[in-house]
Structure formats: C-alpha cells, structure tokens
Amino acid sequence: MEDNDIIYIERCKDGDGEAFAVLYDRYIDKIYRFVYYKVFEKETTEDIVSEAFYKAFKHIVGYDETKGSFSSWLYRIARNAVIDHYRGKKETANIEDVFESGYSERFSEKLDAKEIFKKISKHLESLSPKQREIIILRVWEDLSYKEIAEITGGSEGSVKMAFLRGIKDIREKFGPLALALLILMRP
Amino acid sequence: MDQKIENIIKELYALDPILRERDKDIRAFVVSLIELRPEISVDKNFVIDLRARLASRKFPVTPKMNHDFSWWVIRFVPLGAIAILILVFLPELTKPAPYGTPIAPSAFAPSETEEASDQEFFRGLSEPASTDAFSAPADSGKSLTMMAVSINSINVSSQNPGSVVTVGSVELEKPGFAVVYADKAGAFGEVVGNSLALPAGGPQRVQINLSRPMREGEVFYAALHTEDGDGVFDAEKDAPIFDAITGSPMYMIFTVENNSPEFAPGL
C-alpha cells in the first residue's frame, strides 16, 4: 500500500470522487495483472476487473484501515470477484479450482503471456494452489508476506512457509536449468 | 530488480538456512522465476472506459456528508431558484398593471405544449448526446472529475445480434422502465422494446425482449422512463426520466457487435 493511500481514502469518504480516481489509476494495472494471472483471458479479465472496481467504488466508504491495507482490501475484492465469476459456472467454486478452470478457457490470443504460461504451467501446476498463488503474488507482484496473508487469509508465518515449500518443490522437480531453458525459449 | 532478488533470497534463507549452501543455485533459480513473469499489456481503452463508467456513477457518501449536502440544498437551492425566476420574469414584474388585474397562472406554470414536448423529446431528438457526455476525455490524464448525479442511472454495453438486450445496470429513484429505441438517422426512432415495470432501487440487471432482432452494426438507445402506476409501459404517459442535476435525459447508446461479452458488468 502506498503511504498516502489513506489520504485519498479519507477524501473518498467525504465524497471526493477525484480521490477515487487517483486510487483507480494507482491500482488498475496491478489488479488487472493479478486477475489475468488467474484467468489468462482478456475479456474475462476485463469483466472481473470491472466488477472488482465497481465493488470497491461502492464500498470504499466502509473501508476500515485497522483491518488491513487498502491494496490488500482491493486485491481481496478482486480475488473474490474471480471466485464469483467461476462460481456462476460451477456448483462450487474453490479458488484452487480457478487456476485449472482459467487455463482450460484460454482462447487463442496472440499474447506472449499465453505462450509463456503454457511453458511454465507444468512448473506451476505441480504446486498446491495456495503455493502457486503465493509465489505469483510474491515473485511476480512483489507483494509483502503481510499483504499476501491479508489477501489469501491465514497468518504471515503460514504464507512464508508455503512460499518456501513451493520454491523448494519447483526447484527439486525442475531445477534452475529447466527454468533457464524456458527463458531462452521465450518468443 | 537486484534489490527484489536480494530480498527474496534473504527471506528464503531466513526460513531455511540450509539453502545458503546452494547460494549460486538459489540465486539463479529466483532470477529465472522473476524473468518468467508474463508481460501483460493492459488495454488502455478498457482502462479509460472503466474510469468513465465509474465516473458516471453516483459516488456513495457517508451519512455525515448526506446531512451536510441536505443543509446546503435546503438553504441555497430555493434561493437560487427564486433568483432565476426574478431574472426571467423581471420585465413582466416591472410593467405597471391596472389595479386589481390578476396575474395569469400560465405565466408561472408550464404550458401543455411544454409538457407534451417532454413526451416528444426522444422522438424529436436530432443530436442525441453520446455517452462521451458522461465520460472523461481520452486524454484526461490522471485526474477524473466526478459529478454528483441523480440516483437514476442506466448502463449498457455493446450487444450481440439477437432479440434480447441485456442492460447491465439500472438504478431508479422511483419505479420505472428501461426502454430500447432504434436509431433513426442519428436520432431516437421507434420504441423496439421495454422492460417490465422495474422497482425503485438497484442496481439491477434487466433483459428486454425486442420486437425485432438487432443486426450487427446497428445502433440503439436504452433510456429510462417513469412508471405511472399501472405497470404497463405507455410512451404517451410514462415520460422519459431526466437527470436532476444536468437536465439531460437518462439514456445510453449502444451498438450491436458480434462477440460482445455475454455478461455485461454494467457499471
């Protein structure tokens, strides 16, 4: 969370719409990437991101900074929006299923991301869903363990341990050479 | 990037000191993992469009803000209205009048012609405002101006060809209808469909069956109308709804395009 997020949040609570616009500009790219790394499909990502920001817009007046950072709150809304999206397609939706669901729905897109993901998916799919999500949030999104814990639930300690186990699992199964080869094979 | 790598490695070693024995290996691995991050290019048009759609929403305020807003409304809106009336009718008021001559009520009341013109508004509209009227300009940079708008709102995205329009979001201060108009040379044409009577509140997603199918490339308008209590839409009696602040009619233009999203988030 940026240091002065709280300033804009308080202004939002006073009805300052421009303050929300500042927060929107600050987080739209991050939330977009966060959702995209789960669903890997442009239109679905845009639908979910729209839904997430709409909910944030509606509920920011009720945001309580004592319960966690604004960015974690926003990520949590986006995470729940992903779950809700897939819940509409299945009787039960667990965030752990979303990764597989999203992967199977990926349409043909001329995006570097899809090709890359195909190559690295065997690495990430070997992890537990929780490890996978934590590694993506820590390594690709550069979030702190505290923020990841606020987003995914659980303690900071459990997040750290899951991260460690995930890293070790990938490394033991595939080793650094395999990852290096993947990088060299990138289009 | 270097600092990021160092931070992750330091964290790993703090969790499992044995990993230090393979420092070179671990570093190479962490670097590889970071470099494998897919590059995502966020569609800027989507970002601008979403910002504009959020801007068209009424921004929720805390109860304290509502109270303050009411204080200003109660005290200053009537004064402003009186000032406008005085300026408009001052020439009439300064005319000397014979003793005992009553003031014609029509001088202060809207004529039947004016009321009828509201009913004819959509039919005679020559240049309907596009949704750009409510959205930030494309080069608006980092700032966004949000207006206090009425509770009434309607949002609809592009539709797939077919006979059903899905209006993503309708909010109503009072019961009303969502009505779809065909386009007629850039103006509102005939009514091609309307929702059932909608309750006040929202947001609610609404589906409207049309009297004829939409074809790709066509343009339509989705507008809000009042409901006079009988539960049946009648263009003659159920007037268009206008924004309380801007006075603009509450409607949104949409196009018919193949592969439009089935689910319109309808912000």
Side-chain angles (χ1 to χ4, degrees):
Chain A
M1 172 165 162
E2 298 206 20
D3 290 341
N4 62 355
D5 276 354
I6 197 64
I7 296 172
Y8 292 102
I9 293 165
E10 288 304 317
R11 284 167 55 183
C12 285
K13 291 182 179 181
D14 288 336
D16 183 352
E18 287 196 23
F20 188 85
V22 172
L23 296 171
Y24 172 87
D25 289 336
R26 201 172 269 186
Y27 287 101
I28 180 65
D29 282 8
K30 292 179 185 178
I31 296 299
Y32 189 98
R33 281 199 306 271
F34 172 74
V35 173
Y36 191 86
Y37 290 149
K38 290 186 181 299
V39 304
F40 276 86
E41 203 274 319
K42 180 175 181 285
E43 284 190 357
T44 305
T45 298
E46 290 179 357
D47 283 352
I48 294 173
V49 168
S50 297
E51 188 65 30
F53 272 97
Y54 173 65
K55 285 181 179 171
F57 178 81
K58 270 188 80 170
H59 297 292
I60 195 167
V61 292
Y63 166 74
D64 182 356
E65 58 264 28
T66 63
K67 294 184 179 171
S69 67
F70 175 75
S71 68
S72 303
W73 181 77
L74 201 51
Y75 274 101
R76 214 159 49 239
I77 290 175
R79 190 174 187 267
N80 290 336
V82 172
I83 294 172
D84 289 344
H85 174 81
Y86 285 100
R87 183 170 287 140
K89 301 185 177 191
K90 292 170 67 170
E91 281 191 9
T92 59
N94 187 305
I95 190 68
E96 303 185 348
D97 295 330
V98 168
F99 185 83
E100 283 76 25
S101 299
Y103 182 65
S104 67
E105 287 176 2
R106 278 161 217 141
F107 300 115
S108 175
E109 290 182 359
K110 292 181 182 176
L111 283 177
D112 180 50
K114 182 170 181 275
E115 293 305 312
I116 296 290
F117 186 80
K118 273 185 186 171
K119 292 167 186 170
I120 65 175
S121 62
K122 63 176 180 176
H123 295 70
L124 294 176
E125 282 173 355
S126 67
L127 301 174
S128 75
K130 189 156 181 118
Q131 289 173 332
R132 186 186 309 133
E133 186 175 30
I134 289 170
I135 286 176
I136 288 175
L137 288 174
R138 181 69 194 96
V139 177
W140 288 355
E141 289 297 288
D142 203 19
L143 297 183
S144 68
Y145 293 114
K146 184 169 182 288
E147 287 175 311
I148 296 171
E150 288 172 356
I151 294 167
T152 62
S155 67
E156 200 174 325
S158 67
V159 168
K160 287 180 179 176
M161 291 315 297
F163 178 70
L164 174 67
R165 276 196 291 273
I167 292 289
K168 288 169 86 171
D169 282 352
I170 300 180
R171 194 179 146 276
E172 280 166 17
K173 282 175 186 165
F174 301 105
L177 187 59
L179 284 173
L181 285 173
L182 282 177
I183 296 171
L184 291 172
M185 285 161 61
R186 283 175 73 166
Chain B
M1 168 86 142
D2 288 344
Q3 189 57 50
K4 180 176 173 178
I5 296 168
E6 288 303 321
N7 288 342
I8 291 175
I9 290 171
K10 205 188 314 184
E11 290 158 12
L12 287 170
Y13 292 170
L15 293 167
D16 188 352
I18 295 176
L19 291 174
R20 281 182 195 276
E21 296 170 8
R22 299 193 142 180
D23 181 64
K24 197 173 172 184
D25 192 16
I26 295 293
R27 281 180 186 278
F29 178 80
V30 172
V31 168
S32 304
L33 208 53
I34 291 171
E35 289 183 351
L36 273 172
R37 176 192 177 198
E39 290 302 319
I40 310 295
S41 60
V42 184
D43 186 340
K44 290 303 173 195
N45 289 329
F46 163 73
V47 172
I48 291 167
D49 179 62
L50 176 56
R51 186 199 286 151
R53 281 185 284 145
L54 289 169
S56 69
R57 307 293 295 172
K58 178 183 177 183
F59 195 74
V61 294
T62 57
K64 177 178 176 298
M65 180 61 194
N66 276 333
H67 175 73
D68 288 342
F69 182 71
S70 297
W71 190 92
W72 288 101
V73 167
I74 288 168
R75 282 153 182 77
F76 288 95
V77 167
L79 288 176
I82 292 170
I84 291 169
L85 283 171
I86 291 173
L87 285 171
V88 169
F89 294 104
L90 192 60
E92 293 293 324
L93 291 175
T94 55
K95 274 186 190 172
Y99 176 79
T101 303
I103 298 171
S106 62
F108 299 102
S111 67
E112 288 182 0
T113 306
E114 287 168 350
E115 286 178 341
S117 71
D118 283 351
Q119 300 285 344
E120 292 296 318
F121 182 90
F122 288 126
R123 293 186 182 81
L125 197 64
S126 58
E127 291 184 1
S130 74
T131 54
D132 288 345
F134 300 107
S135 56
D139 58 345
S140 62
K142 293 294 183 183
S143 69
L144 173 69
T145 300
M146 290 195 178
M147 302 183 341
V149 297
S150 71
I151 294 171
N152 298 301
S153 71
I154 183 166
N155 277 285
V156 57
S157 302
S158 61
Q159 302 286 308
N160 284 304
S163 299
V164 178
V165 170
T166 300
V167 179
S169 170
V170 170
E171 280 185 296
L172 290 164
E173 190 171 358
K174 295 179 183 175
F177 295 95
V179 180
V180 178
Y181 290 82
D183 176 66
K184 186 178 176 183
F188 280 74
E190 59 174 348
V191 172
V192 293
N194 61 268
S195 67
L196 297 174
L198 303 172
Q204 49 191 315
R205 192 146 50 103
V206 177
Q207 291 203 315
I208 301 173
N209 294 317
L210 303 184
S211 56
R212 60 112 167 144
M214 299 178 287
R215 292 175 286 273
E216 192 186 7
E218 285 192 297
V219 171
F220 291 85
Y221 309 91
L224 293 180
H225 279 247
T226 58
E227 201 271 299
D228 67 353
D230 64 2
V232 178
F233 176 67
D234 184 336
E236 300 296 327
K237 296 191 291 178
D238 298 314
I241 294 175
F242 293 83
D243 186 279
I245 307 297
T246 66
S248 303
M250 300 299 300
Y251 76 95
M252 198 155 179
I253 190 170
F254 64 93
T255 55
V256 182
E257 299 170 24
N258 283 321
N259 302 313
S260 292
E262 287 296 332
F263 170 66
L267 293 185

